[in-house]
Amino acid sequence: MTHADDLRAWARGMYTTEAATELLLKAFGGKFAAPGNPWVHTSTEPEGPGKVRAWIDFAAIPEEVGPLSGGERRFLMLAASLAEDVPVVLGDLVSGLDRENLDLVLAAIAHAGGSHQHSDIRFNDDGSLSMVKGYLDSLHPWPRTLRAV
């Protein structure tokens, strides 16, 4: 497994953490999800069932973003806010994001809200409900390709 696979496996099952982790993996060439960042942790423990090999301490991000650019800080604070109890002013953060990162943030919010797991429930003409088999698509899917930022 790759480092990205390890992070995704760690986050699996918690939509908000999955979304925040995916943000770090996809934006800025993945540099903020790479080992060596103070909020990214890896384990040297041998592999085994239930062993976590990599994880992100999103609560540590606010203390560590000082030397980064304004856009990088805003992006990281938004990711930290999705995964942890990190208060942010959303209007201040999104107004400074470029188009590619804003696209990622929209996808992350849709994922964090579970829109990819919403059932297709419809009202019939007689007022009754019916549920179509399967799930609806995400309200805003993750972008397939990203330009270099």
Side-chain angles (χ1 to χ4, degrees), residues 6 42-54:
D6 289 340
T42 58
S43 173
T44 57
E45 296 283 321
E47 281 190 62
K51 294 280 186 177
V52 175
R53 295 181 46 155

Side-chain angles (χ1 to χ4, degrees), residues 17-33:
T17 305
E18 288 175 355
T21 299
E22 206 61 35
L23 281 176
L24 298 193
L25 288 167
K26 291 183 180 297
F28 299 98
K31 73 180 183 179
F32 295 122

Side-chain angles (χ1 to χ4, degrees), residues 35-95:
N37 286 298
W39 50 82
V40 178
H41 301 279
T42 58
S43 173
T44 57
E45 296 283 321
E47 281 190 62
K51 294 280 186 177
V52 175
R53 295 181 46 155
W55 67 97
I56 300 169
D57 181 2
F58 285 101
I61 287 177
E63 296 175 15
E64 302 290 346
V65 296
L68 300 173
S69 75
E72 292 171 331
R73 277 195 309 273
R74 284 188 287 275
F75 190 85
L76 286 167
M77 290 298 292
L78 199 142
S81 181
L82 272 176
E84 290 287 337
D85 190 20
V86 174
V88 296
V89 178
L90 190 58
D92 291 346
L93 298 182
V94 297
S95 64

